[in-house]
Amino acid sequence: MANQAKGTCVSVEYLVLGMLENNVYLISDGESTMVVDPSCKADAILEALGGRKVDAIVLTHRHFDHVGAARALREKTGALVIASAIDAPVISGDEELPRDDRPFETCPVDRTVKDGDKVQVGGMTWKVIATPGHTKGGICLYLDPERTANPAAAPVLVSGDTLFCGTVGRTDFIGGSMDDMRRSLKRLAQLPDDTVVLPGHNALTTIGAERNRVFKLYA
């Protein structure tokens, strides 16, 4: 059964799947739905969706535990797969997998995005924030409630493996960089304190909660 996040301007459900206990998000505005970082078990994700149409599959970065079920989910739903232009060639298999990555079933990427692009899913307009550090092509997605039907709700940030509750993603993989991570965190620190953060692993948090933890530590 999917968990549900409260207080956001959209419906956010998530499953914890795979050996690394990934958060797989099902985000809907009541009309359209996107799945973020389908780690594994496409059928379990579909069961949690309960028959809802999947309009988009968003991949925050190229690691196996975030893209493992992307191909199967794309084939079962016909949904558009979206990833950064930098990480997309590895996800699609057009570039060789770095030697320290675990293999996964490659998946075509239907749309590539870069910093500042907008991802429109139904009534939701997500801004792409490039956040290299964990991988070169890591991205976060930010939903400003002013761009939804409920402007009084809290903003939402899908943070992938950039920002976690109390810590950040590893930077010791090929393509990782602590200098890049620090710069990415400075960008995220500019978001409002009430922004609900949906990380790739572990507990949900807020930008305000991390201001005196992660952002101060990595300033």
Side-chain angles (χ1 to χ4, degrees):
M1 185 150 179
N3 303 290
Q4 188 161 10
K6 303 295 184 183
T8 63
C9 54
V10 294
S11 169
V12 179
E13 301 163 79
Y14 65 101
L15 299 92
V16 180
L17 297 176
M19 68 175 75
L20 298 182
E21 297 186 334
N22 287 71
N23 295 332
V24 178
Y25 294 100
L26 320 176
I27 305 177
S28 175
D29 65 354
E31 298 287 335
S32 301
T33 301
M34 70 184 199
V35 175
V36 179
D37 288 352
S39 173
C40 58
K41 300 182 180 178
D43 288 339
I45 297 170
L46 290 172
E47 182 178 356
L49 286 162
R52 283 172 289 176
K53 179 178 180 289
V54 180
D55 298 276
I57 300 166
V58 179
L59 309 176
T60 62
H61 62 287
R62 61 173 169 77
H63 286 152
F64 80 100
D65 58 319
H66 291 257
V67 306
R71 185 184 190 97
L73 199 61
R74 179 180 184 268
E75 291 175 350
K76 290 173 182 288
T77 65
L80 193 76
V81 173
I82 301 168
S84 76
I86 296 172
D87 276 4
V90 173
I91 295 169
S92 66
D94 291 334
E95 286 187 5
E96 185 177 351
L97 190 72
R99 65 180 181 275
D100 62 349
D101 278 9
R102 289 177 180 264
F104 56 84
E105 189 173 18
T106 58
C107 176
V109 175
D110 302 294
R111 180 188 170 192
T112 60
V113 294
K114 63 183 185 305
D115 187 58
D117 283 350
K118 300 294 192 299
V119 172
Q120 190 76 37
V121 181
M124 301 178 287
T125 304
W126 297 83
K127 180 182 178 180
V128 176
I129 305 174
T131 52
H134 185 62
T135 69
K136 288 183 179 180
I139 57 172
C140 294
L141 289 97
Y142 179 68
L143 182 66
D144 186 337
E146 293 294 330
R147 294 182 173 272
T148 72
N150 186 6
V156 180
L157 179 76
V158 174
S159 64
D161 279 4
T162 298
L163 176 63
F164 299 132
C165 181
T167 189
V168 302
R170 291 174 57 176
T171 60
D172 57 336
F173 296 118
I174 292 175
S177 164
M178 181 52 71
D179 288 341
D180 285 346
M181 178 65 78
R182 290 181 189 276
R183 285 189 285 269
S184 294
L185 293 171
K186 285 181 180 179
R187 298 191 66 190
L188 298 185
Q190 297 173 20
L191 299 176
D193 280 355
D194 63 341
T195 303
V196 177
V197 178
L198 310 179
H201 304 267
N202 304 327
L204 278 58
T205 186
T206 65
I207 290 294
E210 302 313 320
R211 195 166 299 286
N212 291 319
R213 296 191 297 197
V214 167
F215 298 138
K216 179 179 287 188
L217 181 63
Y218 290 92

